[in-house]
Structures are given as structure tokens and as C-alpha cells.
Amino acid sequence: MLRLPCDGSSGQLPVPIAVFFLLYKERMVPCFNSSSHPLLSADELAMETQPAEKDDLPAAVQRPHAAGGHDDLFSCCQSKNFRGASYTYFAVHITGALVLFMTDGIVGEYSGFIYSYAVEEPLSVVHKVAGYLPSLFWGFITLGRLISIPVSYRMKPATMVFINVVGVLITFLLLLIFSYSVVFLFVGTASLGLFLSSTFPSMLAYTEDILQYKGCATTVLVTGAGIGEMVLQLLVGSIIHDQGSYSFLVCGMIFGGLAFTFYAFLLFFHRMYPKPSSDMDDASPDKPAVMDDTGQYQR
């Protein structure tokens, strides 16, 4: 009998609805934006808190700095920011989102259907014992996130993502090999929770490092992870219903292999992504104007 996941996903639906209502009320949604903006932008707030003598700066000096700010919440997704961007710029966003699509999808489908897999053949675990598996999985995800904090000081984000993706793939392979072992099911569940725990923050930090904290990396990655967690649960549930419980581990193995493949593509596009130039940084409009010895403003 297939047990549908009860992880509280439906209970989280009021949260995005409330956030959208708040954005709409504050006129921060581009489709419904009006001329009056009740909230100060980040640059306006910074200028309000600056000392009074900086108000005497010429308007020509202040204008480039104000123009470089974020007009609204979705300013990173405006088409003008994509002009002149290379294909590797988009490839980094897409491959990073696909990695999290798979890994966060694995988190959702494994936590949702591990109970159903355990109580059916060939394991036939007692229902009370099988109920500990989702708790064990989420417990080791929490433990892994605590462990990853000191580890991140000594290890690069790219290395952490590589270890996590390879660890997920190897864990599913061993779960398939020892598919008749109840003990290894618990060991594999704990191992999978550890490897999946720091994948999202490490991937986010790695992608932001590649893009020099420019672009829509956070938006794209969070969206990809959320869609993957929703879609893969539906997909795996349908496959288990048609093919049986053994397909649960096969799906996890396939998703882990796809996550590793997309990460390999991300490494490839990272090598091809143009490195930032110091000359371009000096001429950047985001760099504040400074006064030289002659009293003229320079960048």
C-alpha cells in the first residue's frame, strides 16, 4: 500500500500567499507597480543615513551611484541586466538550478516514501520501526548542517558540493546492493541525510562565487530547488504505484546520477566563465566616487 507523504507541504502554502500579498500591498510587484513607492530603496535609505555634508555633493556625482541600485525586488531579472552576457552566464544559473532540482527533489521524495518502501516487500519492516526512518533522515540532515558550519571554514564550496553529490550517488548504489538488509537501510538513511544536508548552501555559495555576487543566482537556485522537491515527489509516487517499491531506490540512483552529471557541467562552465578584470572593476558604476588632492571627484 502506497503511503502518501505527509511532510507539511500543503501547510506551507499560506506562507508564499501571505508574502505575495505583502509585496502587492507594498507595490513591489512589477506587474502592479505604481508611481508611488511607499518603501525606501536600499540606496535611498543609505543616503538618508549619511552625514549632512555629503548632501553638498554635485548631483552628477550622486546620480551614477543611485542608478546602480536595485529599483525593486525583481530588478535582477530585468532584461537590461542580461545585455552582453555570455552563454556561460546563463549556463551557470541553469546547471546550478538543475543540481538543486535533483538534490532537493531527492530530499522530498526520500523523506516522503521511505516509510512506504520499508513496510513493503522485500524488507517488510514493522510499521512502528519504519516510522523512525523519516525522523532519522531529518535528524541527520540537521546534524549535517551543524557539522558543515566548521567544515565550510576549511573547505571550498565546490569541494563540499562534489563530496555531497558523490556521497549521495554511492549511498543509493549501496542501498541497491544491500536492498534486503534492514540494518543498512537505517545506515543508508542516516548517510543520505548527512550528504544532502549542506548541498543547498554550498551550491548557493559556489554559484555566487562564480558570478561575483551578480545576476539572479539566488532566485534561480531557490526556484529550481522548490520545483524539484515538488515535481520529483509526484513522479516517484506515480512510479512506485505502477512499478512497485523497488523502483524507489532505482529512482534515487537515477536522480543522484543526474545531479552528478549536472554538477560536472557546472564545473565545465565555471572553467569557461570569464574571470573579472580589475580594470572593469575600477570603472564599475557601483564603485563610489572619491576626491583626489586637486579637489576633483574621481572613480
Side-chain angles (χ1 to χ4, degrees), residues 21-41:
F21 176 76
L22 178 62
L23 294 175
Y24 173 77
K25 185 178 180 181
E26 298 295 340
R27 298 184 179 91
M28 297 178 67
V29 181
C31 300
F32 304 97
N33 196 13
S34 61
S35 58
S36 62
H37 205 294
L39 294 180
L40 289 176
S41 65

Side-chain angles (χ1 to χ4, degrees), residues 119-164:
V119 298
E120 293 185 2
E121 298 290 341
L123 295 175
S124 300
V125 181
V126 180
H127 289 264
K128 184 177 180 180
V129 177
Y132 291 113
L133 286 168
S135 300
L136 179 69
F137 179 70
W138 286 110
F140 271 84
I141 283 182
T142 304
L143 178 63
R145 287 172 179 171
L146 292 174
I147 295 174
S148 65
I149 295 174
V151 172
S152 63
Y153 284 96
R154 298 179 175 271
M155 194 174 296
K156 294 181 178 180
T159 306
M160 295 182 65
V161 176
F162 177 78
I163 294 175
N164 290 334

Side-chain angles (χ1 to χ4, degrees), residues 91 95 260-270:
T95 51
F260 180 82
T261 303
F262 291 137
Y263 181 67
F265 278 111
L266 179 60
L267 293 176
F268 172 74
F269 290 122
H270 181 197

Side-chain angles (χ1 to χ4, degrees), residues 70 72-79 81-82 89 214-217 219:
H70 298 285
D72 53 58
L73 184 65
F74 301 93
S75 60
C76 73
C77 299
Q78 295 176 357
S79 59
N81 295 325
F82 299 145
Y89 171 86
K214 298 176 182 178
C216 303
T219 304

Side-chain angles (χ1 to χ4, degrees), residues 4-22:
L4 295 177
C6 299
D7 56 353
S9 299
S10 59
Q12 298 175 4
L13 187 60
V15 177
I17 294 176
V19 172
F20 179 80
F21 176 76
L22 178 62

Side-chain angles (χ1 to χ4, degrees), residues 104-115:
D104 272 49
I106 291 174
V107 172
E109 60 94 6
Y110 194 90
S111 62
F113 296 106
I114 183 58
Y115 176 89

Side-chain angles (χ1 to χ4, degrees), residues 185-203:
L185 179 63
F186 279 83
V187 175
T189 299
S191 174
L192 203 60
L194 282 176
F195 286 121
L196 289 170
S197 59
S198 60
T199 304
F200 182 88
S202 300
M203 176 59 70

